[in-house]
Amino acid sequence: MFKGSVYRRCGCKELVTGEDGSPVLDAKNRPKTRELGAECPDLGKRDHGSWYYYVELPPGPKGERRRPRKGGFLTKKKAEEAAQEIWDKAQDGVDVLSDETVEQFLLRWFAKRVDLKRSTWKTYEDHIHRVFIPNLGHIKMRDLRTRHIQEMFQQIWRDNEQHAANADAAEVARLECEAAHRAWKQAAKPRPPELRQRWTTAKERLREARRKPRYITGPGVQLKMKNELSAALDYAKNTEKLISENWAQHLVLPKYTPPKPLVWTDERVARWRETGEKPGPVMVWTAEQTGAFLDGVAEHRLYPMFHLMVFRGTRRGESCGLPWRETDMTAGTVHISEQLVAASYDVWEDTPKSDSGARTVRLDSQTHELLKFWRRRQQAERAEWEKKHRKEPKKYGPYVDSGRVFTWEDGRPYHPEYLSQVFNRLVQKLGLPPIRLHDLRHCAATLSLAAGVHMKAIQVLLGHSSFKLTADTYTSVLPQLEVEAADAPVALVPRKAAQQDEQAVDGAPQGPRSYRPPSPRRSRLLQRLTPAMRRERKSIPWSAQQSQAARGGLRRVGAPSAAR
């Protein structure tokens, strides 16, 4: 049964007097006062004071009295509604008298999350201490509402605007510094001292500009923050009954769409060379660009690793952490069971990203032969290093038997971040359009799609957790595959002119006959010929046409002929 009471009181004060009617003084010799509360004679006035409630709850575990009390309501009805709400929450098991703050709860909840991977744990820790506690930590859990969390994200948006302005200012300062250095460098000797002073001033401005925060919290990171906070509030609601609702579920955030891979077409490459801007955050090389990269790094020490990542789609950490014990050189397979993870340049060994990430990858014949060669080279390097260590132990330390496939000459495994740095330098040196090292996985997927590999097999190859993830990610494929996909529906529709042209090319007599659909490959080649081109080539045998088309000799439909 609901037990509550509402009453009206105010904050008016009166002097405290003694028995003789004189004011009572405090320790600082000032007159003492007391609140009149419900005894104020002006409470009969309409706008004087405010309404309060208190609710009598069942006794606590030790029999203590539990009476939540709150005031500041403008009307009696609002106080009664708030009292009823408190009573209902208490009946549902919510601890309405808890004074625990958001900061205290988050730290206590986070200490229990022993189920998180180390990299995920670090992300949670950063968001809790850098974002959640500064913005929400002072609020009591029972007072937390959606508006408080929404205000936190609004502050993030305001910070993003300031950080973007800081980034622009830093870029301007960089350009000014480069111009000042170029002017000093190109000046005739003896160089004027004012040019040196200008360069020094520009460097100081650049350092000052780079001290200001420039990090942009994008929609993807904001969604992660919301999910992390929602997980904590779900625990507070369902397990500990600290709150009655998950207040993070009703947030309004910028829409986040995961970036999909885009292929570096000729037009995109030309635009990038003009402006230096990438069309998207995730880019994929064409088969020709991939071949140019592999040819350019064929003599590099890490070529076998790059080859493995290009064609088998292993992640950076999976390649660094691949052990020889999980590599079957007889069967030509590698089992992905562990990886090396890097954060703030610290490295640790961990399991694959997900359960589906633990997989067995069948090697292609070239990668298989490269790994055999690499193992022989690694064994020779070990013997050479141990020989150097025996001769000069101070200069050459002992060989590190890490058991990894890809290592330095002394057996130490590669740092994942080092691989990214080397890859970026190689791409820049070769003049290829930029992609990330991780994007080699996307290259492996698109190359497999172009080769006709089924999407389910690509999912297994990459270790994705769902077929939908693979299909949604790789909707963009190589241009030549898009051309075939666009021509395929056209080839299915029988056309009278196409039948006559086909008869002319085959040398068959003209006249009506039953339609015989050509083979898919032959149909695609015929569709690329204009009628005039077909008449020009009617004397060429079909085998010659086929070989010339394979070399790219056939012009596309609508292309101007040499006669034009």
Side-chain angles (χ1 to χ4, degrees):
M1 180 177 179
F2 174 59
K3 293 182 180 181
S5 176
V6 296
Y7 56 95
R8 197 174 183 183
R9 63 175 295 163
C10 68
C12 296
K13 298 180 180 180
E14 67 175 2
L15 290 174
V16 179
T17 59
E19 295 180 356
D20 57 354
S22 60
V24 177
L25 303 180
D26 59 13
K28 293 185 179 181
N29 204 28
R30 292 179 300 186
K32 288 185 177 181
T33 59
R34 71 178 185 89
E35 287 189 0
L36 293 177
E39 301 174 2
C40 181
D42 293 332
L43 285 179
K45 298 179 180 180
R46 182 175 182 181
D47 297 331
H48 193 76
S50 61
W51 288 91
Y52 285 71
Y53 74 77
Y54 75 86
V55 179
E56 188 74 32
L57 298 179
K62 299 181 180 180
E64 66 274 14
R65 197 172 188 182
R66 303 171 68 237
R67 299 179 67 186
R69 185 189 308 264
K70 189 175 181 181
F73 299 97
L74 296 179
T75 63
K76 180 179 180 181
K77 182 179 180 180
K78 290 184 178 180
E80 290 174 342
E81 291 174 351
Q84 185 66 50
E85 181 182 358
I86 286 293
W87 173 263
D88 293 339
K89 289 180 179 179
Q91 297 306 304
D92 292 337
V94 177
D95 187 359
V96 297
L97 288 177
S98 173
D99 288 330
E100 186 174 34
T101 63
V102 174
E103 176 181 4
Q104 293 169 340
F105 167 74
L106 286 177
L107 295 178
R108 184 168 55 82
W109 168 79
F110 183 56
K112 299 178 182 179
R113 294 305 307 269
V114 294
D115 58 319
L116 299 176
K117 283 183 173 290
R118 185 171 174 180
S119 56
T120 307
W121 189 90
K122 283 183 171 291
T123 302
Y124 274 52
E125 182 184 37
D126 173 62
H127 292 166
I128 287 175
H129 290 280
R130 183 173 57 86
V131 181
F132 299 157
I133 290 179
N135 290 278
L136 306 173
H138 62 284
I139 303 173
K140 293 181 180 180
M141 284 293 291
R142 55 187 171 92
D143 294 333
L144 182 66
R145 294 295 183 270
T146 299
R147 68 176 183 275
H148 300 129
I149 308 175
Q150 190 72 57
E151 289 172 0
M152 178 186 74
F153 280 99
Q154 290 173 347
Q155 182 60 47
I156 291 176
W157 302 338
R158 289 190 292 269
D159 290 342
N160 281 346
E161 294 178 357
Q162 182 59 52
H163 294 178
N166 294 343
D168 293 340
E171 179 64 16
V172 172
R174 184 186 67 83
L175 295 176
E176 292 177 351
C177 184
E178 291 179 354
H181 176 256
R182 189 164 49 250
W184 177 81
K185 193 75 174 176
Q186 295 174 355
K189 295 183 179 180
R191 298 186 178 98
E194 57 269 17
L195 293 181
R196 178 73 183 194
Q197 180 60 37
R198 177 188 169 192
W199 180 29
T200 303
T201 303
K203 287 192 293 183
E204 181 58 34
R205 289 176 180 172
L206 178 59
R207 283 193 292 267
E208 184 65 26
R210 286 178 172 174
R211 291 191 189 103
K212 298 179 180 179
R214 291 168 288 158
Y215 176 75
I216 302 297
T217 305
V221 179
Q222 294 178 39
L223 181 60
K224 284 184 179 180
M225 291 179 177
K226 174 191 173 182
N227 293 337
E228 293 162 5
L229 191 57
S230 181
L233 296 183
D234 265 340
Y235 180 85
K237 173 190 173 184
N238 300 325
T239 304
E240 297 194 352
K241 303 294 183 181
L242 288 176
I243 55 178
S244 60
E245 189 173 351
N246 185 343
W247 304 108
Q249 291 182 343
H250 309 293
L251 295 174
V252 179
L253 297 181
K255 184 178 180 181
Y256 171 67
T257 302
K260 293 185 179 180
L262 297 177
V263 178
W264 273 113
T265 60
D266 293 342
E267 294 76 12
R268 288 169 178 162
V269 172
R271 181 63 178 171
W272 164 73
R273 295 194 187 281
E274 291 177 3
T275 64
E277 297 178 358
K278 292 175 59 177
V282 182
M283 301 302 298
V284 181
W285 282 332
T286 62
E288 292 76 14
Q289 293 161 350
T290 305
F293 170 75
L294 291 176
D295 290 341
V297 300
E299 301 300 324
H300 197 275
R301 176 179 178 83
L302 295 177
Y303 174 69
M305 179 186 287
F306 290 140
H307 199 280
L308 173 68
M309 299 175 74
V310 165
F311 292 104
R312 297 291 84 194
T314 55
R315 296 180 176 89
R316 179 184 74 172
E318 294 170 349
S319 301
C320 290
L322 181 63
W324 278 116
R325 68 174 184 275
E326 299 295 336
T327 305
D328 190 339
M329 287 290 95
T330 302
T333 61
V334 294
H335 182 66
I336 306 299
S337 59
E338 56 191 70
Q339 63 174 340
L340 295 184
V341 183
S344 301
Y345 223 76
D346 293 332
V347 183
W348 63 89
E349 183 181 310
D350 204 343
T351 56
K353 188 175 181 180
S354 62
D355 292 340
S356 56
R359 62 199 187 278
T360 299
V361 177
R362 171 70 62 177
L363 299 175
D364 59 274
S365 57
Q366 291 186 12
T367 305
H368 191 188
E369 291 301 321
L370 282 172
L371 288 185
K372 289 180 179 178
F373 159 78
W374 177 260
R375 183 165 61 177
R376 293 193 298 269
R377 175 175 178 174
Q378 190 181 60
Q379 291 171 348
E381 288 179 345
R382 176 172 185 171
E384 180 67 20
W385 188 270
E386 291 177 342
K387 180 179 178 181
K388 292 179 179 179
H389 172 64
R390 288 192 295 269
K391 290 184 177 180
E392 300 179 77
K394 293 184 178 181
K395 184 177 180 180
Y396 300 95
Y399 185 84
V400 180
D401 189 7
S402 63
R404 307 292 182 187
V405 173
F406 300 106
T407 62
W408 293 92
E409 292 86 342
D410 62 352
R412 292 178 294 115
Y414 284 103
H415 192 292
E417 188 60 32
Y418 170 78
L419 294 183
S420 297
Q421 295 173 1
V422 169
F423 178 78
N424 293 337
R425 288 197 295 267
L426 290 173
V427 171
Q428 186 175 8
K429 179 181 178 181
L430 295 173
L432 292 170
I435 67 172
R436 305 169 304 166
L437 179 61
H438 185 78
D439 292 337
L440 292 182
R441 277 173 57 81
H442 305 311
C443 290
T446 51
L447 288 173
S448 298
L449 274 174
V453 179
H454 193 272
M455 190 69 74
K456 183 63 179 178
I458 297 175
Q459 174 201 344
V460 176
L461 172 68
L462 300 181
H464 283 168
S465 57
S466 68
F467 180 86
K468 183 177 183 300
L469 173 63
T470 309
D472 289 348
T473 303
Y474 300 107
T475 53
S476 63
V477 292
L478 298 179
Q480 54 264 41
L481 191 60
E482 294 176 348
V483 171
E484 294 189 4
D487 287 343
V490 180
L492 294 177
V493 179
R495 302 296 299 278
K496 183 176 180 180
Q499 297 175 25
Q500 295 174 354
D501 291 334
E502 183 184 356
Q503 294 171 6
V505 171
D506 291 342
Q510 303 294 323
R513 65 173 184 174
S514 60
Y515 172 71
R516 176 176 59 86
S519 65
R521 176 175 176 80
R522 187 175 182 182
S523 177
R524 288 196 299 271
L525 294 173
L526 288 174
Q527 288 292 336
R528 299 177 184 175
L529 299 176
T530 64
M533 293 163 60
R534 292 190 181 94
R535 286 192 294 273
E536 292 174 1
R537 302 176 63 85
K538 63 182 180 180
S539 60
I540 301 177
W542 171 251
S543 59
Q545 295 182 34
Q546 188 178 28
S547 61
Q548 187 173 354
R551 295 192 300 270
L554 298 183
R555 292 187 294 272
R556 294 188 178 182
V557 177
S561 63
R564 296 180 186 176

